[in-house]
Structures are given as C-alpha cells and as structure tokens.
Amino acid sequence: MTTTHTALRPADAALPDEGHVSAAIADVLAERAGHLFGLMGNGNAHLISRLTRGGFPFTSARHEAASVAMADAYHRATGGVAAATTTYGAGFTNAYTTLAEARLARIPLVFVVGDAPAGGRRFFDIDQAKAAEAAGVTTLVARPDNAAAVTHRAFDLALQSVQPVVVAIPYDLATAPLSSQVPLQPLPVKPVWPAEPHDLDRVAELLGSAQRPLILAGRGVLLAGAVAPLREIGDRLGALFMTSVMAANAFGSEWDLGIAGGFTRSHRLDVARQADVVLVAGASLNTFQTRYGTLFPADARIIRLDNEPDGGQNAGAEYVRADILPFVEGLLERVPASGSPTWRDAVPEVSGADFRSSHPSEDPVEFGPDGRLNPRAVVAALDRILPAERSVVMDGGHFIGWAPMYLSVPDPHAMVLVGTAFQSIGMGFGSAAGVSAARPERTTVLVSGDGGGLMGLADFETFLRATRRGVVVVLNDSAYGAELHQYAAKGLHSQAMLIDEVDFAAVGRALGAEGAKARTLADLGQLEQWLATHDDGVFVLDVAISQKVVAEYMRESVAAKG
C-alpha cells in the first residue's frame, strides 16, 4: 500500500523551502516514504513546509509521542517503511517512549528530528544521539555535504536492520545551502544464512514422522515472503497452524488454531497441547508466546527456524539458523504429501464453524461479579457487530487479553498492537490514526482501556481527523487493571490503581464524534444501528466492564511470577 512520490521541486526557486539541507531531506522522504507523521517545531519547520507545500501526505499529531506511534502503526498496517518527525529537545524526548517501542518491536521507520547546533549545544539541549543509542537506535547526522545521501542511508539501514533510524538536523544547518556531496561508504551486506542440507533433511524427517505436527508462523515469515510454501507444507502433512500476533490469520486456513500464547482460547489450547512436533518459523517463542512453557506438551519436539541470533528464550527448542524462505522452500521439496490419515482427520471439529466462532465458551455470562459487563461477552458480541473489513488497533493494558482472542481480522496487517514490546500504554489514539492513514478503505477499530485512553487523550482529536470511518471501543473498568490484578490482589492498597469513571463517549461527542455508554449487551445495539446508517464518521462506545474478570494471560503471568 506504500505510495512512491517523486521529489518535490516548487516552480518558484525563491521559496524559503528550496536548496538547503532540510529541502534535500524532504525530497528523499517524498521519494521513499508513503506518508509523514509528526509535529512542527523550530527544528523541523522547513522540512515539513517543503513537503506540505508540494502536497505530500502529512498527518500532524497533537503530542510528539503520537508522531512515532503513527509511523509505527502505518508500517504494521502496510508493510512499508514510514517516516516521522519532531523538533529537537522536548519534541524528541516526548517521542522517546514510542521510539523505544518501535526499536523493541523491530519497526523499520525513519525518524527525522531537529537537533542541537553543529557548533555546540545550547543550555537547553541534550545529547540526543546518546539518548537514542541508549534505546538501541542509530542516529545519522545530516550536513550540507551529505543531506540527501544520509537520508537514503537511513531508509536503507532501517529496511536492512528492521529497526528505526534517526536522522538529525543540526539547528544551525537546517537551512544551510547544499555543498559538494561526499559519497558514503556502502552499507555492509547483510549476512546470508543458507539452508544446510543436513538441517533440511533432519527437519523434514521429523515433520514427516510426526503424528500431530503443528506449524507456528511469526512475523519473520511475512517479511521473508514464505507464507505460501509454509502453508503448503502444512497441508501436505495434514498439520495444524498457529501464528504470532503480528502474523494473525497469515495462513487464511480453516486449520489455524489462531494466535499462540496468552491469547489462545481454551478449546484451541486443548488441541495445541496434543502436538508432538512443532515447527516455529520467524517467531521469537518468548515466554508469552509459550504461555510460560505450557503451550505445548513437555515432550513435544520443537524446532525454531530464524535468521536472527537465538535469544535463548526457549531452551527446550532446537534452533536452526537459516534464511527463512530458502529453508522453507527446501523443506517443501523434501516433504511429500501424507498418504495416511493425518491429525486433521482426528480433529475435524477444528475446521468447523462452532470451533472457529467468537462465542465465549470460557465464560458466556453477561455480567461480572460486580454487576458490570463481562468483557469476554462484550468483545465476542463485537466480533459479529463490527464490519468484517476492519483494522483492529489496541493500546496496551490489561484489556488486551480479549480483543485478540475474539476479534477476527482479514489479514496480519489488520491486527495492530503498539505498546506491547515496551510494556507501555497511552499509544492507542496515535497508533489508530496511523492505521487510518494507511488503510482508509477499512473501518479502523481502536480498542483501548480507560487508563491508556486518558494518557493519550491529546491525540483523540488526531484519530478523529485522520479517520474516514472508525469505532473507538473503551473497555472501561475505572482502574489500571493490570496493577489491580497484580498488586491489589496481593494486598497492596488500591487507591492509586483506581480511576474515577470517565465517559469517553461524551468526550468523543465533544470532539465531534458520535457515541454511547454501554452497561448491558443490549446497549451494543446503538453501535450496530450507527454502523448500518453511516458510511463515514467515528462512533465511540464506552463499555463499563467488570473489575473482577481477569484475562487469562494476566492470571497465568501472576501465577508464573508467584
């Protein structure tokens, strides 16, 4: 979905945007990014003006944190590299949390920032390059002799390393005239990890002899373009599938057990725990994905395939380091179609409508013990009510335990969780705005908690402005639910964990949206009616959910930590 734009060159050469460092950077952004997200300040005013004057797509945040969150989500929704910008100092530090999230989640984006003058820091400047380095992010400095080349380098490095890269514009060089360009050394070639024949033979034999093979695909499979051959291997074996969150519904198969880990529903978990051989491709297999080691049987043979260094998060897995696509293609050549009954024959219910429905068999009651709505019942009902062509965006918080379990999405780019890598909340409205800019043809559905919603409230307006058709669902338990279930349950005083109830539907109406408060499942009909009668606009549904219903992943996390 990423659009390529040609360099922007206004006809009037006397315009203040022309012929300097910021202009050169802007022209490269126009060529290589599909959209720019940011907030204008002293350090990036000339850059933004150059782009908006030429009609390049730009979405302004209301808080700098949303600038990187929007670009992050834009990438997740399209697969294309994105760009963000802020000014120096507070503009940079306000975006630091979302930059750290993008780094930990391995999001390729270019973040263009103002910076201290090349001639020396002022009393209010900080060492932004060292701050970025502390988060694991590389900074490249633009100068009159390299502005275009260094910006191209940033895009190349972001794509090669699958990480964010900062381009810094020293304040005193922002409008400095370009000089003779100094060529940059080529980037080192990324190492190739070949598919070794002995590894291929061994893994093919393990899969071929398995009685209950399961294939788990992560984001690495999407990046490698290996979904189709991996699915064919599974179909030949009669295997079942699972995915990570960032690869949700990648296989598009009726034999997919859904998202692996803390978001796996209990009846699907019962089946996954029968697997005897598991091939994990392009997924980290971290403790959350393995449900603290309980996702698969203790005696299951697990092979993890990736071209990144093994993080050692699952000592029970056999690690094979190889580039994913050639290895999967090599496996496909070695795995014949099974001529005998397969695991699929033993569990035909997996492909059935009842097994795959969103009905919350785990807990179908309408209300929790405190008389407020059961979030499982609410989100399961929303799966039926919301348009099928939707992007589901989630902020961080306790409530994320339900949307990935019950809300289906059309493809992996439609399930967007920004904040989970850095364990942050408050990024929801910005992330959802980025998704709306990326995929305007779909209904953007933001699912937020009340704590994160209040933290990111400045960009509620950004979401409304950027969204053609959207729904905001606030699962409102009047609390910081994660803290409540981890610490109040252990006897800590709960005062700081509680939030006076805010009606987000009323806030939305004040900003120009429509909305309603839901206290019963019947109240969800207001959203259903709005969707039936509106082709555009945003509806805010504030749902009063129970403080007493604990998400499965949270219950297991608390138990694992003791």
Side-chain angles (χ1 to χ4, degrees):
M1 292 294 297
T2 301
T3 304
T4 300
H5 297 263
T6 56
L8 303 172
R9 298 203 175 276
D12 183 356
L15 289 173
D17 299 343
E18 190 69 39
H20 50 61
V21 168
S22 295
I25 295 169
D27 286 349
V28 176
L29 287 174
E31 179 184 343
R32 301 200 59 175
H35 204 106
L36 179 64
F37 302 93
L39 189 58
M40 181 181 282
N42 291 340
N44 62 354
H46 293 279
L47 171 88
I48 293 174
S49 174
R50 170 77 169 167
L51 288 164
T52 55
R53 188 188 302 278
F56 187 78
F58 173 71
T59 300
S60 179
R62 298 306 181 210
H63 188 284
E64 284 95 351
S67 60
V68 176
M70 286 192 284
D72 180 331
Y74 182 94
H75 165 76
R76 299 189 201 216
T78 63
V81 67
T85 184
T86 68
T87 188
Y88 48 72
F92 171 81
T93 58
N94 278 345
Y96 192 73
T97 295
T98 44
L99 180 64
E101 161 69 18
R103 169 61 184 89
L104 292 172
R106 302 202 61 199
I107 303 298
L109 63 85
V110 174
F111 183 30
V112 183
V113 299
D115 205 348
R121 291 204 296 269
R122 299 158 294 190
F123 73 92
F124 52 81
D125 287 316
I126 65 168
D127 191 334
Q128 295 179 187
K130 282 188 177 179
E133 183 183 5
V137 177
T138 297
T139 298
L140 305 179
V141 180
R143 303 187 308 267
D145 63 353
N146 73 357
V150 88
T151 310
H152 277 296
R153 168 63 60 87
F155 278 95
D156 294 339
L157 183 59
L159 289 168
Q160 184 188 88
S161 62
V162 198
Q163 294 176 12
V165 177
V166 170
V167 174
I169 308 175
Y171 181 68
D172 53 351
L173 300 181
T175 58
L178 299 177
S179 61
S180 298
Q181 299 297 291
V182 176
L184 301 178
Q185 292 296 320
L187 279 175
V189 177
K190 190 172 184 178
V192 174
W193 296 92
E196 300 292 349
H198 65 276
D199 286 330
L200 287 165
D201 292 340
R202 185 177 72 258
V203 175
E205 182 179 357
L206 284 169
L207 290 171
S209 62
Q211 298 298 307
R212 296 173 300 281
L214 189 146
I215 296 175
L216 196 166
R219 179 190 178 209
V221 172
L222 302 177
L223 295 175
V227 173
L230 193 60
R231 173 174 172 158
E232 187 172 346
I233 290 171
D235 289 341
R236 287 185 183 183
L237 294 168
L240 301 184
F241 299 112
M242 297 186 88
T243 69
S244 69
V245 172
M246 292 188 75
N249 200 26
F251 292 112
S253 171
E254 62 186 358
W255 298 103
D256 189 346
L257 295 175
I259 297 171
F263 300 144
T264 306
R265 293 185 57 192
S266 60
H267 64 296
R268 297 173 184 174
L269 184 62
D270 291 342
V271 177
R273 284 176 172 162
Q274 300 172 35
D276 59 354
V277 175
V278 182
L279 174 62
V280 180
S284 65
L285 211 61
N286 58 41
T287 55
F288 185 82
Q289 278 183 352
T290 63
R291 293 181 79 108
Y292 301 91
T294 68
L295 179 61
F296 302 120
D299 59 353
R301 189 75 177 267
I302 301 174
I303 307 103
R304 179 174 172 258
L305 165 67
D306 210 333
N307 62 350
E308 297 292 337
D310 183 21
Q313 298 189 79
N314 194 299
E318 176 186 345
Y319 179 63
V320 176
R321 189 170 192 182
D323 290 328
I324 294 172
L325 181 58
F327 194 93
V328 170
E329 290 175 336
L331 273 184
L332 186 58
E333 295 173 357
R334 289 165 168 78
V335 174
S338 177
S340 58
T342 68
W343 193 12
R344 294 180 182 180
D345 296 311
V347 287
E349 67 275 11
V350 168
S351 65
D354 288 344
F355 188 92
R356 300 179 61 77
S357 78
S358 62
H359 182 70
S361 56
E362 296 89 346
D363 187 8
V365 298
E366 182 172 2
F367 298 104
D370 53 2
R372 293 166 71 95
L373 280 164
N374 174 3
R376 296 188 185 93
V378 169
V379 181
L382 288 173
D383 187 57
R384 175 187 59 80
I385 292 170
L386 292 167
E389 277 299 308
R390 62 194 180 219
S391 299
V392 176
V393 187
M394 276 156 282
D395 195 3
H398 172 245
F399 71 93
I400 65 171
W402 297 297
M405 294 180 74
Y406 298 108
L407 292 183
S408 57
V409 291
D411 59 55
H413 293 301
M415 180 71 77
V416 177
L417 284 77
V418 178
T420 54
F422 198 40
Q423 304 294 291
S424 177
I425 68 173
M427 302 181 189
F429 285 116
S431 301
V435 170
S436 291
R439 301 302 301 266
E441 76 282 7
R442 288 180 170 170
T443 300
T444 304
V445 179
L446 168 62
V447 185
S448 178
D450 50 322
L454 289 170
M455 186 181 291
L457 201 58
D459 284 286
F460 198 157
E461 182 272 342
T462 304
F463 174 68
L464 298 180
R465 176 167 31 91
T467 302
R468 181 191 65 82
R469 191 178 196 232
V471 176
V472 177
V473 178
V474 181
L475 297 178
N476 190 340
D477 61 356
S478 295
Y480 294 104
E483 285 69 27
L484 200 65
H485 299 305
Q486 290 179 92
Y487 300 111
K490 295 180 179 179
L492 274 69
H493 194 258
S494 64
Q495 178 180 326
M497 306 173 196
L498 301 176
I499 301 172
D500 291 341
E501 187 149 350
V502 173
D503 186 346
F504 283 84
V507 176
R509 289 194 298 271
L511 291 173
E514 297 186 47
K517 184 83 174 183
R519 298 189 183 277
T520 68
L521 289 180
D523 291 339
L524 304 185
Q526 297 172 85
L527 169 61
E528 192 167 17
Q529 182 180 12
W530 183 88
L531 288 167
T533 56
H534 290 73
D535 292 328
D536 54 25
V538 173
F539 190 93
V540 182
L541 184 72
D542 185 308
V543 186
I545 65 165
S546 175
Q547 290 183 357
K548 304 298 182 182
V549 178
V550 184
E552 284 81 351
Y553 84 87
M554 180 62 67
R555 187 181 300 115
E556 293 187 356
S557 174
V558 171
K561 294 174 183 176

